[in-house]
């Protein structure tokens, strides 16, 4: 029997999971074949804004599938239908503005795996919502897997109860090294001039300080950024009191251009980091793109990544408060 919510029909997709009673992602399709046009979709979203946001918080991921969303202009209209404030991306991924609030997703090589992360997890104000649109699905690979963050915390507490609480008590410190100019041959190749919107070092330092970041200038014109202390987990309003794994320890620990350690400078045990990475992968939901898909992620509740893929692949993004 078909289930309808408001002005949508509820569907299914490959990789969909039920986690703690919640369907991830909740798939919303046109209620009738003749209601798949963008105008009908935007009208339905405007009429059901509050309900839609409740569904996003409840299910952590909502997928609009089967609608005739063609390009960045259509995608931007969908974003603006909600009235959510924009939040500028700050981070290492090379990105290009496409149209108004719409940007390319990470422009790093498609052959690389972008590790699971909460968007802008280390910045004082992270986006509450990350919205992705698939203009060109890849012929192979290129999924955007996501992970219920609270499940990582639950399982790490089961296996490393004392270590989790020790790291939480001490806090975390991260470092990241960036060049001055963008390097699109790397998924973390965004230069500091682009990241901070200035080539003036003093102004870059001021802007970094405003978001809780210290800087050390390097002889090659690059910069080492230092962030900390940061928490290991966080609890956000409206999400059942769940303790989210709101950090990027696995993604930054022991890498060529980044590090993660305890705030006092001591190392995080290797087995703690390794097992955490395994748990994150085990809990992942493998989402496969179709042309025209629009995927809404609750950034407070989900980590997300990108599987390696064959070209072409074109996924656009908007980040919202």
């Amino acid at each position: 029997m078909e289930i309808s919510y408001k002005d949508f029909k509820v569907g299914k997709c490959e990789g969909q999971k039920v986690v703690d009673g919640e369907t991830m992602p909740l798939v919303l399709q046109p209620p009738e074949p003749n209601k798949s046009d963008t105008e009908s979709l935007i009208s339905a979203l405007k009429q059901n804004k509050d309900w839609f946001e409740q569904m996003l918080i409840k299910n952590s991921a909502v997928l609009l599938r089967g609608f005739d969303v063609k390009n960045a202009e259509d995608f931007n209209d969908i974003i603006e239908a909600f009235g959510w404030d924009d939040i500028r991306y700050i981070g290492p991924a090379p990105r290009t503005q496409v149209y108004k609030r719409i940007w390319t997703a990470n422009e790093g090589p498609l052959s690389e795996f972008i590790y699971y992360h909460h968007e802008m997890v280390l910045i004082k104000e992270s986006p509450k919502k990350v919205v992705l649109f698939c203009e060109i699905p890849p012929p192979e690979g290129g999924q955007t897997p996501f992970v219920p963050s609270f499940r990582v915390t639950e399982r790490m507490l089961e296996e490393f109860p004392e270590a989790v609480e020790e790291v939480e008590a001490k806090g975390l410190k991260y470092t990241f090294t960036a060049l001055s100019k963008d390097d699109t041959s790397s998924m973390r190749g965004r230069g500091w001039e682009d990241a901070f919107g200035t080539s003036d070092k003093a102004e870059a330092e001021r802007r970094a300080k405003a978001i809780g970041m210290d800087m050390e200038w390097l002889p090659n014109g690059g910069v080492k950024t230092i962030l900390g202390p940061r928490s290991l987990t966080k609890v956000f309003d409206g999400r059942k009191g769940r303790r989210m794994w709101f950090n990027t320890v696995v993604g930054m620990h022991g890498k060529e251009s980044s590090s993660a350690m305890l705030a006092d400078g001591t190392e995080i045990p290797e087995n703690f980091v390794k097992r955490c990475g395994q748990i994150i992968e085990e809990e992942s939901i493998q989402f496969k793109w179709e042309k025209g898909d629009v995927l809404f992620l609750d950034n407070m509740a989900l980590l997300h990544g990108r599987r390696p893929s064959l070209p072409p692949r074109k996924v656009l993004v908007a980040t919202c408060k």
Side-chain angles (χ1 to χ4, degrees), residues 49-122:
K49 282 192 288 190
D50 292 344
W51 169 84
F52 189 96
E53 191 153 9
Q54 289 168 13
M55 290 299 100
L56 179 56
I57 291 175
K58 178 178 181 291
N59 295 277
S60 301
V62 177
L63 170 65
L64 298 177
R65 172 165 285 178
F67 294 94
D68 192 23
V69 186
K70 295 189 185 72
N71 49 40
E73 289 82 355
D74 289 346
F75 182 33
N76 188 77
D77 288 343
I78 289 168
I79 297 300
E80 292 191 342
F82 290 99
W84 297 329
D85 290 335
D86 191 33
I87 186 167
R88 177 181 165 81
Y89 171 72
I90 299 171
R95 291 180 172 178
T96 303
Q97 187 175 18
V98 178
Y99 179 76
K100 293 186 178 179
R101 295 178 61 171
I102 309 307
W103 294 69
T104 57
N106 192 317
E107 295 177 10
L110 291 175
S111 58
E112 294 188 35
F113 174 46
I114 297 175
Y115 195 71
Y116 301 99
H117 59 284
H118 290 276
E119 201 70 25
M120 293 165 56
V121 65
L122 301 181

Side-chain angles (χ1 to χ4, degrees), residues 100-172:
K100 293 186 178 179
R101 295 178 61 171
I102 309 307
W103 294 69
T104 57
N106 192 317
E107 295 177 10
L110 291 175
S111 58
E112 294 188 35
F113 174 46
I114 297 175
Y115 195 71
Y116 301 99
H117 59 284
H118 290 276
E119 201 70 25
M120 293 165 56
V121 65
L122 301 181
I123 307 304
K124 284 183 177 179
E125 185 182 18
S126 307
K128 290 188 171 66
K129 308 162 192 79
V130 173
V131 193
L132 299 153
F133 160 61
C134 181
E135 188 169 340
I136 303 174
E140 183 180 315
Q143 299 93 333
T144 294
F146 51 86
V147 181
S149 195
F150 78 96
R151 286 291 298 141
V152 183
T153 307
E154 287 179 348
R155 292 187 58 185
M156 287 296 288
L157 280 167
E158 288 169 5
E159 297 190 29
F160 300 92
E162 293 179 1
V164 167
E165 299 305 353
E166 180 187 0
V167 175
E168 191 73 273
K170 289 185 176 180
L172 292 160

Side-chain angles (χ1 to χ4, degrees), residues 17-24 58-59 150 240 242:
K17 279 187 185 180
V18 176
V19 181
D20 196 23
E22 299 167 2
T23 303
M24 298 184 188
K58 178 178 181 291
N59 295 277
F150 78 96
K240 300 183 178 179
R242 289 169 170 166

Side-chain angles (χ1 to χ4, degrees), residues 67-307:
F67 294 94
D68 192 23
V69 186
K70 295 189 185 72
N71 49 40
E73 289 82 355
D74 289 346
F75 182 33
N76 188 77
D77 288 343
I78 289 168
I79 297 300
E80 292 191 342
F82 290 99
W84 297 329
D85 290 335
D86 191 33
I87 186 167
R88 177 181 165 81
Y89 171 72
I90 299 171
R95 291 180 172 178
T96 303
Q97 187 175 18
V98 178
Y99 179 76
K100 293 186 178 179
R101 295 178 61 171
I102 309 307
W103 294 69
T104 57
N106 192 317
E107 295 177 10
L110 291 175
S111 58
E112 294 188 35
F113 174 46
I114 297 175
Y115 195 71
Y116 301 99
H117 59 284
H118 290 276
E119 201 70 25
M120 293 165 56
V121 65
L122 301 181
I123 307 304
K124 284 183 177 179
E125 185 182 18
S126 307
K128 290 188 171 66
K129 308 162 192 79
V130 173
V131 193
L132 299 153
F133 160 61
C134 181
E135 188 169 340
I136 303 174
E140 183 180 315
Q143 299 93 333
T144 294
F146 51 86
V147 181
S149 195
F150 78 96
R151 286 291 298 141
V152 183
T153 307
E154 287 179 348
R155 292 187 58 185
M156 287 296 288
L157 280 167
E158 288 169 5
E159 297 190 29
F160 300 92
E162 293 179 1
V164 167
E165 299 305 353
E166 180 187 0
V167 175
E168 191 73 273
K170 289 185 176 180
L172 292 160
K173 179 169 73 173
Y174 302 90
T175 68
F176 183 80
T177 302
L179 299 172
S180 60
K181 304 294 184 183
D182 289 356
D183 174 14
T184 54
S185 69
S186 169
M187 65 179 183
R188 290 181 167 180
R190 192 182 191 198
W192 64 262
E193 293 183 17
D194 182 22
F196 292 106
T198 180
S199 59
D200 182 86
K201 289 184 177 181
E203 179 60 21
E205 286 183 14
R206 189 189 68 77
R207 294 179 185 183
K209 185 70 73 176
I211 57 174
M213 185 185 296
D214 292 321
M215 304 174 85
E216 292 179 3
W217 297 104
L218 304 175
N220 66 354
V223 68
K224 179 180 180 180
T225 58
I226 303 139
L227 302 100
R230 294 290 190 272
S231 60
L232 183 72
T233 66
K234 283 189 178 181
V235 177
F236 298 99
D237 290 343
R239 292 160 182 84
K240 300 183 178 179
R242 289 169 170 166
R243 196 171 166 187
M244 306 299 183
W245 193 254
F246 209 72
N247 64 75
T248 183
V249 166
V250 179
M252 291 183 71
H253 181 268
K255 303 296 190 294
E256 184 179 349
S257 61
S258 67
S259 69
M261 64 195 79
L262 297 181
D264 62 9
T266 55
E267 289 295 322
I268 303 167
E270 188 68 38
N271 67 323
F272 180 95
V273 179
K274 183 179 179 181
R275 181 60 184 139
C276 181
Q278 292 169 345
I279 288 171
I280 288 172
E281 190 60 58
E282 289 166 9
E283 292 293 331
S284 66
I285 295 167
Q286 300 301 313
F287 173 73
K288 185 177 180 180
W289 289 106
E290 292 186 7
K291 184 177 175 62
D293 281 350
V294 181
L295 179 66
F296 294 74
L297 301 177
D298 178 0
N299 190 47
M300 307 291 99
L302 296 177
L303 304 110
H304 68 279
R306 186 196 73 188
R307 293 282 183 208

